[in-house]
Amino acid sequence: MSDLFYSNISELQAGLNNKTFTAVDLMQSVIERTEAVESEVNAFISRDIEDALKQAEASDKRRLAGASLGALDGIPVGIKDIMAVKGQPLRCASKMLESFVAPYDATCIEHLKASGAVIWGRLNMDEFAMGSSTENSAFSQTANPWNLDCIPGGSSGGSAASVAAGQTIVSIGTDTGGSIRQPAALCGVVGMKPTYGLASRYGLVAFASSLDQVGPFARTVKDAAILLESLVGYDPKDSTSLNRPKENYSKALEQPLRKLKLGVPSEFFGDGVDPEVKAAVEKAIDWYRSEGHTIVEISLPHSELCVPVYYIIATAEASSNLARFDGVRYSHRSSDAGNINELFNKSRGEGFGEEVKRRIILGTYVLSSGYYDAYYLRAQKVRSLIRNDFDQAFEQVDAILTPTTPTPAFKKGEKSDDPLSMYLSDIYTISVNLAGLPALSLPVGMTQEQLPIGMQIIGKAFGEADILSVAHAFESNHEFKDLRPNLDNSKQ
Amino acid sequence: MSEKTEIDINYVAELARIELSETDKEKLSGQLKDILVYFEKLNQVDVTGIEPMAHAHKVQNIWREGDQAGPVFSQSVLNKMAPESRDNQVVVPKVVE
Amino acid sequence: MKYEVVIGLEIHVQLKTKTKMFSAAPYNYGAEPNTLTDPVVLGLPGTLPVLNYTAIEKCAELGLMLGCKIADVCKWDRKNYFYPDSPKNYQLTQNEQPLCVGGSIEIEMPGASRNIEGAHRWVELNRIHLEEDPGKLTHTAFDSLIDFNRAGVPLAEIVTEPNLYSSSEAVAFLNALRNLIIFSGISDCDMEKGQMRCDANVSLRPKGLETLGTRTEMKNLNSISNVKSAIEYEMKRQAEILDSGDKVIQETRRWDAAKNISLSLRSKEEAHDYRYFPDPDLMPVVMDKARIEVLNQMLPERPFDRQRRYQKDYDLPYTITSVLCANHQLSDFFEETLGLYNAPKAIANYLVNDLLRELASNSEQGASALSLSETKLKPQSIAELVEVVESGLISKQIAKEVFVEMFASGALPKSIIESKGLSQSNDSSEIEALCLEAIANNPKAVGQFKDGNIKAINALKGPVMKATQGKANPAILDELLQKLIESGE
Ligand SMILES: [Mg+2]
Ligand SMILES: [Zn+2]
């Protein structure tokens, strides 16, 4: 039973149904694994072991009574510390919310609970989801399980690392400019951002409202599909949520993949790409060609403008979204505030970390009197152009293949003092959020230094089933899903 | 935009209600200047006649009908989370207008 | 004065919805602190707004009442500013595309006296937009307390053009607006409860000049008399500045009602940079033309239209209609009573005289008059009262007594008359004996009457009335006395 923590959902469901083991056994295995490697990985901000075991026990009771809730019943799901779980801390990796306990459930959490999932732990992240390395956490620095000196990516670094290290079966993260796909690529797991509006944002602490989406991390495409099915769905509490019929994504994977037209945008394979990353992605593209799919060279001409558009829109929205953290009702309050303005200024000065302050200042500036048209309004217009690029491309192709990141995981501290170069590490993922499209990162190779390489598969709006199928076809014919990082403790 | 790449850091920090040390201000000013220069890329494109995109999807008319009351929090929820409270209200330093 | 004052007003009105503008938390005035909150109201991390359509509908109805153009599309913007009563530190409002544009309202200036109708004119409006109310701060000697019950209540902000030219015009405007809104049922506009709040922009310019002078914005005017005092104070202050050759500074000023002065809050240089931008959490509202038309068809009558109708159709005098139509409950009560018994003048008289008198005298010492809904009186009570007087069952004199009794107990006139034996005595033999006695006791009056002084008969009627405790039917009495005097010749 020792490797239950590295099993996939289908295997675990079979074992649970056959009574080979119980949900409590599974949870124990995950807990033991977590404790064994956590000192190296640091994927968690907090974890409530007692609560997780209680949920697992409830799952076992349901199963015994013949009332199992389906594929996720009894499966541990790790939660990024940005989703509200009633009665659990909600810190967003920030000193600002150090003592905040959520008094309500996010809609996605309600969905997970309704499907019997065991809500497991609060996973590390960049503070308020602002960052690409999980170095901007006020609590700990998560390591990349493949190389502990490297960053796991971000902002959902804890979600990616915990799945890669076997500290959970699957996890959820959030993606504003690549915060699921980039860490998934760097940690060698599957990570997916659904179409904007497919999953509810209610209970997800907002970074950039018009870009944020919740999505799954898993070690296999099928596990990601199962988790996605549970997460999505119309929510009347989120006015940006879309009312669409539910799809059975995991079932769609059972169909043989039809012959597709796959677009490859030249702009994503230029000078900035690491040669090993480029080679691995091109090799994957060749595989699709060899399988009889048509590879079409396409152009997304405004790709270069994604980073400025993104950092204007995202920081502007963030500057307003994060205004509620003011020391008045629930967030950190400075102990030496003599008047109300000092209370605001000092609480926010003390509570927010450097990157968050930088983005709030930037976002405040671009919205301030006299600059709105030049920055925010202009960025929204260029956002339309970026969306048009995709609309045109999808007239020719069914999905688009690109590297997820320009480079494999970099060393901790390497980019901490150069925000602009850190911002550029999201260059391939950002445009997808601006256009509101679904995309997935799939492990497609390893560097010579044994660091994972991810390929991004971008779909049409609501093309989740398609991109999952495209990913599944490659995964079924390659070994990457079975590779495990060599953590010291696991060698012992 | 070039002439605007200098941020009045004191003004913006005051608007954002974030206290910054002098060294923070200096460091931030430099970094933001680089970022704003990078933002000038946006001037490369002509956006005349282009609709601004505020939402990912053109969805309209999302609302709640019927004006029916939902659940409320008990007073203890806010009392528990507030840094300081008295008489079931949140306490802040005296606000003088 | 050699200056002309130009005033523009911004009025915030709380819409009477059951729940808040962007959450389903209920609202009612006077609830225990922080009992009307939920995750959205408190601005907890992760929460999102969902629009209450009833707020849109009520604001559109207000716009239609005021002749505004209802926008085809309205959108939501964030107004960013830090204040401890604002849970998100931004207010959801409509900056770029308000729901109602333009419009105007009829106002009546004070007449030469209370009984004389004043001049009417129309005041142009700029816009009406929707926004959310913040919570409420209470200041103690050393700190401030925040109650978030009010946070998120829908507000309609009505913005006038700068086209009011005296403090009394501003007062007339506010009275007309308040009355119209109360008539429409959109808000109770109780200023003491903060349901209606007013800011005034005031500037002076030399008489005859077209361009506007520098304005100041007066905040916190929480009664109509405060608005008047604050405008007058500001006119005087600005005139003194201009007279001395100085310039008025554009600034926000706060009215201190206790001291009767205004104080500078912040000058334009420190004015807020609100960083408005479209709210990404809320979608645009495309107004449904059919739904608007339904509202338009069902609009209530405007108060001045009603007043004109009363004057024209019922021939009621200005003094009566101005009282009736200044009070929505009273005029609705009037209409209902009229529906039961068609005697507009008599009904109006009972309402304007007897009813208002009883309402005033039955309120607690020092409190404002009782409202109609607090009484036991029903339209049926008044209708029946008028009927029994007109049919001669009781005299107008007895009716006064019946009125007081039915106001107090809620009993209907006929049952009061019966239980108290108040019906007019028509026992002619008894009255005849009393009349003969009166004639015998008062030969002087009899003589005067015979000489053609008809009024002299009143001296004979008095003792009869007294003896019957007023129950004698005055008409019958008149007839009988005349007959007896003539036959006695
Ligand atoms: Mg205003
Ligand atoms: Zn307002």
Side-chain angles (χ1 to χ4, degrees):
Chain A
M1 253 189 266
S2 60
D3 58 354
L4 283 184
F5 58 84
Y6 262 141
S7 306
N8 65 42
I9 293 176
S10 306
E11 292 160 359
L12 293 171
Q13 281 302 331
L16 290 166
N17 287 334
N18 299 338
K19 300 196 173 65
T20 317
F21 51 87
T22 65
V24 171
D25 295 335
L26 167 58
M27 196 60 235
Q28 284 290 8
S29 162
V30 163
I31 291 166
E32 277 164 32
R33 169 66 175 181
T34 297
E35 300 311 312
V37 301
E38 179 61 2
S39 62
E40 293 169 295
V41 181
N42 287 310
F44 291 79
I45 288 180
S46 68
R47 48 198 188 278
D48 188 337
I49 290 171
E50 203 181 314
D51 175 65
L53 287 170
K54 214 183 285 169
Q55 295 177 65
E57 217 171 287
S59 169
D60 284 332
K61 275 193 190 135
R62 278 193 298 272
R63 200 175 303 268
L64 219 58
S68 171
L69 297 168
L72 272 183
D73 204 335
I75 305 297
V77 179
I79 310 294
K80 185 178 182 179
D81 196 24
I82 199 169
M83 302 291 296
V85 176
K86 193 174 177 176
Q88 292 294 326
L90 173 57
R91 297 189 175 127
C92 287
S94 181
K95 197 184 161 195
M96 190 54 110
L97 289 175
E98 188 157 13
S99 54
F100 183 70
V101 174
Y104 75 103
D105 273 329
T107 300
C108 284
I109 298 297
E110 281 179 354
H111 289 166
L112 287 176
K113 285 182 174 175
S115 51
V118 175
I119 306 298
W120 165 231
R122 312 288 311 161
L123 294 163
N124 201 17
M125 55 186 276
D126 285 300
E127 183 180 2
F128 288 107
M130 296 180 184
S132 307
S133 65
T134 313
E135 289 167 293
N136 303 329
S137 166
F139 301 108
S140 62
Q141 228 178 71
T142 301
N144 190 314
W146 292 90
N147 181 337
L148 299 175
D149 296 329
C150 287
I151 55 97
S155 65
S156 311
S159 302
S162 60
V163 171
Q167 296 175 295
T168 184
I169 303 304
V170 290
S171 69
I172 66 172
T174 59
D175 190 316
T176 306
S179 285
I180 290 175
R181 291 156 290 156
Q182 187 255 21
L186 302 192
C187 290
V189 297
V190 178
M192 185 177 185
K193 178 201 102 72
T195 308
Y196 184 87
L198 207 63
S200 169
R201 292 185 299 114
Y202 188 79
L204 147 64
V205 181
F207 160 17
S209 314
S210 75
L211 304 166
D212 297 340
Q213 273 294 288
V214 179
F217 283 91
R219 290 182 292 261
T220 67
V221 173
K222 190 173 177 191
D223 282 7
I226 292 169
L227 184 53
L228 182 68
E229 276 161 24
S230 169
L231 287 181
V232 302
Y234 173 65
D235 181 10
K237 289 183 194 153
D238 174 0
S239 304
T240 62
S241 146
L242 301 169
N243 201 347
R244 295 182 59 85
K246 275 234 175 199
E247 284 186 68
N248 192 328
Y249 303 117
S250 51
K251 187 126 194 175
L253 300 181
E254 291 164 15
Q255 308 295 321
L257 186 62
R258 65 182 200 278
K259 298 304 168 209
L260 298 171
K261 283 186 184 151
L262 301 172
V264 177
S266 49
E267 290 85 357
F268 286 59
F269 292 84
D271 292 341
V273 197
D274 176 276
E276 282 187 286
V277 171
K278 188 175 175 179
V281 174
E282 281 174 345
K283 200 173 159 196
I285 292 169
D286 285 341
W287 179 83
Y288 284 104
R289 190 183 283 117
S290 71
E291 287 290 298
H293 303 288
T294 311
I295 305 301
V296 183
E297 186 161 326
I298 57 164
S299 174
L300 298 167
H302 295 98
S303 298
E304 207 200 348
L305 301 177
C306 288
V307 176
V309 168
Y310 173 79
Y311 278 95
I312 289 169
I313 291 175
T315 59
E317 291 181 6
S319 72
S320 175
N321 284 334
L322 272 66
R324 69 189 63 200
F325 305 111
D326 58 2
V328 174
R329 281 146 293 122
Y330 49 77
S331 52
H332 168 77
R333 181 182 289 195
S334 172
S335 55
D336 75 297
N339 61 47
I340 190 67
N341 259 331
E342 274 179 26
L343 189 145
F344 290 145
N345 287 323
K346 287 179 191 286
S347 300
R348 289 164 64 78
E350 293 165 11
F352 289 137
E354 195 180 322
E355 180 63 21
V356 173
K357 287 182 201 170
R358 183 155 46 227
R359 294 200 195 187
I360 291 175
I361 296 283
L362 183 57
T364 303
Y365 174 76
V366 299
L367 287 175
S368 67
S369 177
Y371 299 118
Y372 178 83
D373 288 2
Y375 290 114
Y376 192 75
L377 191 62
R378 191 176 190 89
Q380 280 197 327
K381 289 178 178 173
V382 181
R383 187 177 176 185
S384 288
L385 296 174
I386 290 163
R387 165 65 162 267
N388 291 346
D389 285 356
F390 278 107
D391 286 349
Q392 277 173 18
F394 280 119
E395 281 174 15
Q396 304 172 56
V397 300
D398 301 298
I400 295 171
L401 307 179
T402 79
T404 308
T405 58
T407 67
F410 46 89
K411 291 276 185 331
K412 288 175 179 171
E414 199 178 298
K415 298 186 180 180
S416 320
D417 260 341
D418 184 0
L420 192 52
S421 90
M422 186 73 94
Y423 295 174
L424 291 172
S425 70
D426 290 336
I427 193 156
Y428 297 146
T429 46
I430 279 171
S431 56
V432 171
N433 299 75
L434 292 171
L437 301 173
L440 175 154
S441 180
L442 179 73
V444 293
M446 295 296 281
T447 65
Q448 289 198 327
E449 287 178 35
Q450 291 303 294
L451 285 170
I453 294 167
M455 179 176 75
Q456 176 174 235
I457 308 170
I458 307 170
K460 296 176 183 176
F462 316 111
E464 277 77 7
D466 274 351
I467 59 176
L468 283 161
S469 300
V470 170
H472 186 66
F474 181 93
E475 181 190 70
S476 314
N477 287 279
H478 295 81
E479 304 299 308
F480 298 112
K481 69 171 185 301
D482 301 319
L483 300 182
R484 301 288 176 240
N486 212 356
L487 288 161
D488 287 350
N489 278 311
S490 60
K491 275 190 253 166
Q492 290 166 5
Chain B
M1 266 189 248
S2 320
E3 74 280 7
K4 295 182 207 146
T5 48
E6 209 70 64
I7 282 190
D8 179 351
I9 192 80
N10 288 313
Y11 174 73
V12 180
E14 177 54 32
L15 267 186
R17 296 290 191 279
I18 295 180
E19 187 176 275
L20 295 171
S21 68
E22 286 309 313
T23 38
D24 280 353
K25 281 181 194 168
E26 208 167 304
K27 189 175 167 191
L28 252 176
S29 296
Q31 290 170 334
L32 294 177
K33 191 175 174 174
D34 290 347
I35 294 167
L36 291 176
V37 169
Y38 184 70
F39 283 0
E40 288 183 19
K41 269 180 186 290
L42 286 187
N43 293 337
Q44 292 167 5
V45 279
D46 182 9
V47 291
T48 332
I50 306 291
E51 273 287 297
M53 181 174 163
H55 297 280
H57 306 290
K58 280 208 164 140
V59 178
Q60 293 161 330
N61 297 351
I62 306 297
W63 57 59
R64 174 169 58 89
E65 295 262 8
D67 200 18
Q68 289 296 306
V72 289
F73 275 151
S74 76
Q75 289 167 314
S76 63
V77 173
L78 183 58
N79 291 341
K80 218 185 285 172
M81 65 172 78
E84 195 186 339
S85 64
R86 187 173 73 241
D87 299 339
N88 294 309
Q89 301 195 60
V90 177
V91 179
V92 290
K94 185 168 170 117
V95 180
V96 275
E97 284 166 303
Chain C
M1 198 172 168
K2 57 185 187 251
Y3 302 111
E4 178 183 51
V5 66
V6 181
I7 303 158
L9 299 177
E10 289 173 21
I11 301 97
H12 287 91
V13 174
Q14 279 187 348
L15 300 179
K16 215 160 67 174
T17 53
K18 291 188 198 77
T19 66
K20 298 190 181 180
M21 177 117 141
F22 297 109
S23 100
Y27 179 67
N28 51 279
Y29 179 82
E32 286 294 305
N34 292 311
T35 52
L36 305 175
T37 73
D38 67 8
V40 179
V41 172
L42 293 179
L44 296 190
T47 55
L48 297 170
V50 178
L51 173 65
N52 178 358
Y53 190 77
T54 308
I56 287 271
E57 211 153 47
K58 288 201 186 285
C59 187
E61 195 180 336
L62 177 58
L64 291 168
M65 287 287 278
L66 293 166
C68 304
K69 185 192 177 311
I70 307 301
D72 295 331
V73 180
C74 63
K75 290 186 178 170
W76 306 99
D77 299 297
R78 292 187 184 179
K79 179 181 181 177
N80 294 285
Y81 66 95
F82 281 83
Y83 214 71
D85 60 7
S86 170
K88 304 182 293 298
N89 289 313
Y90 61 80
Q91 182 190 34
L92 288 166
T93 181
Q94 300 182 313
N95 186 45
E96 285 285 320
Q97 286 172 274
L99 179 54
C100 311
V101 181
S104 57
I105 182 170
E106 182 178 8
I107 68 168
E108 179 186 345
M109 296 299 291
S113 85
R114 241 176 72 94
N115 300 335
I116 296 170
E117 182 163 9
H120 285 229
R121 83 164 184 95
W122 290 80
V123 175
E124 304 290 314
L125 303 177
N126 174 287
R127 63 189 287 169
I128 306 174
H129 66 252
L130 269 168
E131 59 188 28
E132 51 179 348
D133 214 349
K136 197 172 185 312
L137 282 165
T138 311
H139 308 290
T140 73
F142 45 90
D143 56 17
S144 297
L145 302 176
I146 321 169
D147 172 11
F148 291 99
N149 281 351
R150 206 182 66 181
V153 170
L155 292 178
E157 180 174 340
I158 301 150
V159 183
T160 73
E161 292 294 348
N163 63 0
L164 293 158
Y165 302 100
S166 68
S167 60
S168 49
E169 268 196 358
V171 169
F173 169 87
L174 287 171
N175 281 325
L177 180 68
R178 185 168 173 273
N179 200 29
L180 179 135
I181 295 174
I182 293 171
F183 264 65
S184 67
I186 291 162
S187 173
D188 292 336
C189 290
D190 188 332
M191 291 183 86
E192 273 174 39
K193 292 179 181 170
Q195 291 165 350
M196 182 174 177
R197 308 188 294 262
C198 182
D199 301 337
N201 294 309
V202 179
S203 66
L204 294 188
R205 64 182 171 197
K207 268 193 182 140
L209 218 68
E210 277 292 308
T211 48
L212 293 172
T214 305
R215 69 188 159 87
T216 57
E217 188 179 3
M218 314 287 289
K219 294 248 173 217
N220 196 35
L221 307 173
N222 47 23
S223 75
I224 292 182
S225 67
N226 275 351
V227 174
K228 188 172 162 62
S229 313
I231 290 171
E232 283 162 6
Y233 177 88
E234 190 57 15
M235 285 165 67
K236 196 162 156 271
R237 194 187 69 89
Q238 288 189 17
E240 279 166 12
I241 292 171
L242 294 174
D243 282 342
S244 72
D246 280 348
K247 282 181 175 162
V248 174
I249 304 165
Q250 183 170 341
E251 62 183 352
T252 305
R253 300 180 68 85
R254 182 179 189 280
W255 179 247
D256 186 330
K259 296 186 186 136
N260 243 329
I261 54 165
S262 70
L263 295 163
S264 178
L265 270 181
R266 52 179 178 267
S267 67
K268 193 196 176 189
E269 296 78 72
E270 312 161 46
H272 286 134
D273 180 346
Y274 289 122
R275 291 158 286 135
Y276 285 104
F277 75 104
D279 180 72
D281 291 326
L282 289 165
M283 296 304 185
V285 177
V286 179
M287 296 304 291
D288 182 335
K289 294 244 159 51
R291 268 179 102 158
I292 295 297
E293 195 41 43
V294 170
L295 281 181
N296 202 20
Q297 293 302 323
M298 301 194 329
L299 283 188
E301 192 176 25
R302 293 171 187 83
F304 285 125
D305 293 340
R306 183 169 275 191
Q307 192 177 353
R308 275 184 285 269
R309 182 166 62 83
Y310 286 0
Q311 285 172 322
K312 185 167 165 281
D313 293 2
Y314 307 138
D315 197 25
L316 294 174
Y318 170 78
T319 34
I320 298 272
T321 59
S322 63
V323 175
L324 274 182
C325 295
N327 183 330
H328 177 238
Q329 280 188 339
L330 194 65
S331 97
D332 273 0
F333 195 98
F334 171 72
E335 308 242 322
E336 254 184 90
T337 313
L338 203 56
L340 297 170
Y341 193 79
N342 188 16
K345 281 193 174 169
I347 293 168
N349 273 318
Y350 276 119
L351 297 188
V352 169
N353 298 317
D354 301 67
L355 178 58
L356 290 186
R357 182 194 63 236
E358 290 304 315
L359 287 173
S361 65
N362 279 275
S363 66
E364 296 281 313
Q365 190 74 39
S368 56
L370 286 177
S371 86
L372 245 179
S373 56
E374 293 170 288
T375 73
K376 294 170 182 164
L377 216 61
K378 288 169 199 66
Q380 199 192 341
S381 324
I382 305 286
E384 202 174 296
L385 186 64
V386 175
E387 187 200 327
V388 295
V389 171
E390 289 202 343
S391 71
L393 183 62
I394 57 170
S395 67
K396 281 185 181 159
Q397 202 53 42
I398 294 289
K400 301 252 178 218
E401 194 184 326
V402 173
F403 189 97
V404 173
E405 171 63 23
M406 75 185 187
F407 183 91
S409 70
L412 286 170
K414 283 178 183 165
S415 79
I416 296 172
I417 292 165
E418 192 171 328
S419 68
K420 294 201 158 184
L422 294 174
S423 70
Q424 297 200 18
S425 171
N426 296 312
D427 178 346
S428 47
S429 63
E430 187 199 332
I431 292 181
E432 197 169 320
L434 288 168
C435 285
L436 287 169
E437 195 184 325
I439 290 169
N441 289 343
N442 209 338
K444 191 178 159 201
V446 173
Q448 284 167 340
F449 180 79
K450 281 181 178 169
D451 291 343
N453 183 357
I454 303 167
K455 278 188 186 166
I457 203 162
N458 288 340
L460 303 172
K461 271 160 82 177
V464 181
M465 277 296 188
K466 202 173 173 189
T468 59
Q469 290 172 304
K471 280 185 262 174
N473 184 325
I476 294 176
L477 191 57
D478 258 1
E479 222 171 286
L480 190 63
L481 279 169
Q482 274 187 46
K483 209 176 79 191
L484 291 171
I485 292 171
E486 278 155 21
S487 68
E489 277 176 295

